[in-house]
Amino acid sequence: MTKHCAGKNAVVIGGTHGMGRATAEKLIEAGARVLLTGRDARNVDKARAELGPRATVLQSNVAEVHEIDALAHALRETMAPVHALFVFAAIAEFQPFGEVSEGSYDRHFAINTKGAFFTVQRLAPCIADEGSITLTTVTPANAMPGMSVYLGTKAAVGAFVRGFAVELLPRRIRVNALAPGFIDTPTLGLAGLTPGQRAEVAAIGDAVTPMQRHGTMEEVARAALFLGFDATFTTGVELAVDGGLSTVAGPR
Ligand SMILES: NC(=O)c1ccc[n+]([C@@H]2O[C@H](COP(=O)([O-])OP(=O)(O)OC[C@H]3O[C@@H](n4cnc5c(N)ncnc54)[C@H](OP(=O)(O)O)[C@@H]3O)[C@@H](O)[C@H]2O)c1
């Protein structure tokens, strides 16, 4: 395999598990030098033990701007310039909108939206001219119940993509987003699922997705590397990685 990211530096925010982790591993495989982050200390330790010297793993909470600033400082000291920044960190606690508490609303927006905004704002000076930023939204398919706050957080991120893309044109930094559908990650993107709920969500995903299955983390990682390194005439877009969920009818 050609190491087509050899000599490149990549940062994965929310890379300790799930599609961020799969992307980090694909970047390592492609020859990039990788730094990844997560919030939970146990998950950070586990990722560090599993990846060993192949990647740098740091604990950093995107909801705390001072922690993003500390990360920017660490990057300037050890890794800059960053050629590709990937932001996967987010939470989703699905609830009917009538039951959403102010605390849950604030938590979602602090991590998914404010976290994405200030990660890009504070890390942008570390990014190489002609580099890339890839955020994560969600498929623009029909909404399902319980998603109102989560969808609101991700709609804002979709708008940030276009706003950042235009402001970073002078530095020729491309800004795009992955918009996943149902992807088979350890959390399925949802906080605190019981095994029964997980099976239920998985069955719905398989049934409603036109390709009749979940996407794999490997498939998202390939799309991430495409946006990060190969899509050199693409900026300001959200790329659906959703088995046709937002675009085509399923088999009858
Ligand atoms: N899975 C799906 O089907 C699906 C569908 C559509 C969109 N998405 C989106 O795709 C992205 C990745 O999904 P996933 O299923 O791979 O998620 P995941 O397995 O839950 O992983 C999320 C990553 O973000 C980190 N993270 C969470 N809160 C953080 C915080 N405050 N600061 C820093 N890191 C934080 C997690 O680390 P800790 O555990 O340490 O917090 C983990 O490394 C998310 O943006 C999600 O909303 C997922």
Side-chain angles (χ1 to χ4, degrees):
M1 178 189 164
T2 53
K3 301 254 180 195
H4 84 296
C5 296
K8 303 293 186 189
N9 297 328
V11 172
V12 183
I13 305 296
T16 50
H17 53 86
M19 45 186 107
R21 171 66 178 271
T23 298
E25 295 197 14
K26 178 115 335 243
L27 286 162
I28 294 166
E29 205 180 292
R33 193 167 153 229
V34 176
L35 182 147
L36 62 92
T37 71
R39 169 193 48 178
D40 182 274
R42 279 165 309 177
N43 293 339
V44 165
D45 288 346
K46 187 163 180 282
R48 196 177 277 144
E50 286 167 357
L51 290 165
R54 297 187 297 138
T56 302
V57 184
L58 295 182
Q59 185 177 14
S60 178
N61 181 356
V62 293
E64 299 291 344
V65 176
H66 69 94
E67 294 196 23
I68 302 174
D69 283 337
L71 177 65
H73 179 76
L75 284 174
R76 277 195 299 276
E77 296 290 306
T78 61
M79 197 187 224
V82 173
H83 301 99
L85 168 67
F86 300 88
V87 183
F88 288 94
I91 57 158
E93 299 164 8
F94 281 8
Q95 285 171 316
F97 90 93
E99 293 173 18
V100 172
S101 66
E102 187 180 0
S104 169
Y105 182 98
D106 287 346
R107 190 161 53 249
H108 279 83
F109 274 88
I111 296 172
N112 301 6
T113 309
K114 180 181 147 194
F117 184 91
F118 285 102
T119 295
V120 173
Q121 185 201 59
R122 302 301 165 102
L123 268 47
C126 303
I127 297 178
D129 289 355
E130 301 185 21
S132 70
I133 299 170
T134 304
L135 297 157
T136 315
T137 57
V138 65
T139 173
N142 293 341
M144 289 170 58
M147 296 176 69
S148 56
V149 175
Y150 175 76
L151 289 175
T153 65
K154 293 293 192 175
V157 174
F160 293 162
V161 165
R162 300 191 300 281
F164 296 152
V166 71
E167 292 207 38
L168 289 168
L169 279 175
R171 296 183 53 206
R172 299 175 305 285
I173 294 173
R174 297 175 302 103
V175 186
N176 296 294
L178 295 159
F182 287 87
I183 309 296
D184 191 11
T185 67
T187 65
L188 293 180
L190 297 169
L193 287 184
T194 63
Q197 289 168 325
R198 185 187 159 84
E200 206 178 310
V201 171
I204 293 170
D206 289 343
V208 301
T209 301
M211 289 176 74
Q212 302 278 282
R213 65 172 178 87
H214 274 56
T216 65
M217 293 188 280
E218 159 79 18
E219 287 171 318
V220 176
R222 286 206 300 268
L225 265 69
F226 169 71
L227 287 179
F229 288 103
D230 300 329
T232 50
F233 198 47
T234 301
T235 195
V237 309
E238 290 180 65
L239 176 66
V241 186
D242 66 357
L245 190 58
S246 59
T247 47
V248 300
R252 295 183 191 281

